[in-house]
């Protein structure tokens, strides 16, 4: 069950509005607005494109897509009478109606955050979606005045409020102190990794560059990610790949020390940028003959990092960020 809806618009004089659905008529939490109905939260109806052929029965599938989403929220106004700073304040239905115009300004952008109440298996989870207020229509002459708010979302997917960020790099501690000797004396018999690239017995730590990462996409919808690659030295033709989906994305370029590349593989945001000042578009550096935009399928995805010269992998600092998306909540 959806527990609450938080409304955020981008005007400077408006604070977020939290609509509690569990007990919408509770005057302590309603802020004068009782949500009586919400539609447009399911996966919706996909548009399936096909081509009919003369020689075969049926049709040939071309593609399928989700259209824009329309969310309708019906609200009933609850007059408020409360004490603030020692002064009694009364908010009438008309006051609340005008307040709703500020929270849901027609033609303006709003952000809706939906929070479910969780269960015994998982904790509460929040999803957000952004859209444009198309309609805010009150029923002024009704016995119980209400209004219908219609929000059109160009991106039909709900996004997880929490993002997942994983790094290919780690710092491993490589020394410890004996508890029975004078503090500060480094134990010469410390337990070093036998595969360490150095034989220095007094090494404080060691930098590790992983070859693979396991990223779990908890959604049931494929999504892209944001890859950040930093060079600590020369790196020839860096590449990232998803072993689970057999996708690879290679850059036909050499990175120098200090270079930072951001690869965004999310639908609608696909880009490749070299961060120099405001950023330089390097999408033409992607090897189009072999590359695909990396996607994360539902479940586990094994992500790899490589380059033409294996010895140069140690010159890479890389991370990946994903935010699960959902066709409905």
């Amino acid at each position: 069950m959806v527990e609450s809806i938080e409304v955020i618009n981008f005007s400077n004089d408006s604070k977020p509005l939290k609509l509690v659905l569990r007990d919408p008529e509770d005057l302590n939490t309603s802020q004068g607005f009782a949500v009586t109905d919400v539609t447009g939260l399911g996966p919706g109806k996909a548009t399936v494109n096909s081509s009919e052929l003369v020689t075969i029965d049926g049709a040939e599938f071309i593609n399928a897509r989700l259209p824009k989403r329309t969310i309708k929220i019906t609200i009933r106004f609850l007059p408020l009478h409360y004490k603030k700073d020692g002064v009694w304040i009364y908010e009438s239905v008309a006051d609340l109606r005008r307040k709703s115009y500020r929270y849901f300004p027609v033609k303006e952008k709003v952000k809706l955050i939906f929070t479910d109440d969780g269960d015994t298996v998982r904790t509460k989870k929040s999803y957000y979606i952004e859209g444009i207020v198309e309609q805010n229509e009150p029923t002024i002459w009704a016995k119980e005045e209400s209004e219908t708010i219609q929000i059109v979302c160009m991106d039909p997917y709900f996004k997880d409020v929490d993002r997942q960020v994983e790094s290919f790099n780690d710092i491993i501690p490589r020394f410890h102190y004996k508890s029975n000797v004078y503090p500060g004396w480094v134990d010469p018999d410390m337990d070093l990794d036998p595969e360490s690239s150095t034989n220095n017995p007094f090494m404080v730590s060691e930098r590790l560059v992983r070859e693979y990462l396991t990223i779990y996409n908890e959604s049931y919808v494929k999504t892209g990610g944001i890859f950040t690659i930093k060079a600590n030295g020369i790196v020839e033709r860096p590449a990232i790949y998803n072993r689970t989906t057999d996708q690879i994305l290679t850059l036909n370029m050499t990175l120098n020390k200090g270079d930072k590349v951001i690869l965004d593989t999310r639908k609608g945001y696909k880009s490749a940028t070299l961060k120099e000042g405001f950023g330089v578009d390097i999408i033409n550096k992607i090897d189009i003959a072999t590359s695909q935009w990396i996607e994360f399928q539902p479940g586990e995805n094994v992500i790899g990092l490589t380059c033409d010269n294996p010895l140069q992998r140690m010159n890479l600092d890389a991370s990946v960020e994903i935010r699960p998306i959902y066709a409905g909540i």
Side-chain angles (χ1 to χ4, degrees):
M1 175 181 176
V2 177
E3 182 181 78
S4 65
I5 306 173
E6 188 171 355
V7 183
I8 301 173
N9 65 41
F10 300 92
S11 60
N12 294 327
D13 63 342
S14 179
K15 296 181 180 179
L17 169 67
K18 188 171 184 179
L19 304 172
V20 179
L21 278 64
R22 180 182 292 276
D23 190 359
E25 297 191 10
D26 184 348
L27 295 180
N28 295 318
T29 59
S30 69
Q31 301 186 60
F33 303 103
V35 177
T36 59
D37 190 29
V38 183
T39 62
L41 303 184
K45 182 180 179 181
T47 300
V48 179
N49 297 311
S50 61
S51 176
E52 295 187 0
L53 303 178
V54 177
T55 56
I56 63 173
D57 297 330
E60 185 179 44
F61 173 75
I62 298 177
N63 59 32
R65 56 180 295 275
L66 280 180
K68 61 186 179 182
R69 177 187 298 274
T70 299
I71 296 176
K72 291 184 180 180
I73 304 175
T74 304
I75 291 175
R76 184 161 59 87
F77 300 121
L78 304 175
L80 296 176
H81 193 204
Y82 57 92
K83 197 172 186 179
K84 182 178 181 181
D85 299 329
V87 179
W88 283 98
I89 297 175
Y90 176 72
E91 290 189 62
S92 66
V93 168
D95 294 328
L96 295 170
R97 183 175 66 245
R98 287 188 287 269
K99 184 191 289 187
S100 75
Y101 298 157
R102 187 173 79 247
Y103 284 118
F104 298 95
V106 177
K107 300 193 306 181
E108 300 297 329
K109 185 178 179 181
V110 294
K111 181 177 183 179
L112 304 177
I113 301 176
F114 296 85
T115 301
D116 63 25
D117 56 0
D119 50 35
T120 57
V121 178
R122 60 186 176 89
T123 58
K124 291 184 179 181
K125 198 163 188 61
S126 296
Y127 321 82
Y128 75 90
I129 193 168
E130 295 180 350
I132 306 296
V133 179
E134 181 181 47
Q135 180 184 18
N136 186 339
E137 186 63 34
T139 56
I140 297 177
W141 306 112
K143 184 176 181 181
E144 288 189 341
E145 190 170 333
S146 62
E147 71 179 356
T148 299
I149 299 150
Q150 192 161 296
I151 300 168
V152 179
C153 306
M154 304 306 167
D155 184 346
Y157 290 103
F158 295 90
K159 298 177 177 63
D160 201 317
V161 168
D162 298 320
R163 59 179 184 149
Q164 181 180 356
V165 181
E166 300 288 347
S167 176
F168 283 90
N169 307 89
D170 200 2
I171 302 297
I172 303 175
R174 292 301 187 193
F175 76 95
H176 63 268
Y177 296 102
K178 282 186 175 180
S179 60
N180 59 347
V181 296
Y182 180 76
W185 181 74
V186 181
D187 181 5
D189 297 322
M190 60 187 125
D191 184 19
L192 289 177
D193 184 350
E195 298 181 0
S196 171
S197 58
T198 175
N199 293 319
N200 180 6
F202 296 101
M203 178 174 58
V204 175
S205 61
E206 183 177 7
R207 179 172 168 273
L208 171 68
V209 180
R210 297 185 180 89
E211 187 175 356
Y212 305 111
L213 279 178
T214 299
I215 307 293
Y216 188 83
N217 177 13
E218 65 179 40
S219 174
Y220 47 84
V221 179
K222 292 187 293 185
T223 184
I226 301 174
F227 299 85
T228 302
I229 301 173
K230 299 178 183 177
N232 296 315
I234 294 177
V235 180
E236 299 171 3
R237 283 173 48 86
I240 52 176
Y241 56 94
N242 188 337
R243 291 182 61 184
T244 307
T245 60
D246 290 328
Q247 295 172 314
I248 187 167
L249 183 58
T250 305
L251 292 176
N252 278 328
M253 62 185 299
T254 297
L255 300 183
N256 297 308
K257 185 176 181 180
D259 285 346
K260 178 181 176 181
V261 172
I262 297 180
L263 301 172
D264 194 337
T265 67
R266 298 173 299 165
K267 290 181 179 179
Y269 303 92
K270 293 176 180 177
S271 63
T273 307
L274 177 63
K275 285 294 182 181
E276 291 181 349
F278 292 103
V280 178
D281 186 356
I282 56 170
I283 199 165
N284 61 325
K285 298 294 184 180
I286 294 177
D287 186 349
I288 60 174
T290 61
S291 295
Q292 294 175 288
W293 295 103
I294 304 295
E295 288 186 313
F296 297 85
Q297 70 172 11
E300 287 190 353
N301 295 261
V302 179
I303 307 299
L305 177 67
T306 187
C307 56
D308 274 8
N309 186 344
L311 298 178
Q312 295 175 351
R313 282 189 66 258
M314 294 300 296
N315 293 334
L316 289 172
D317 280 338
S319 63
V320 55
E321 172 189 330
I322 73 164
R323 191 186 296 272
I325 61 175
Y326 303 86
I329 60 174

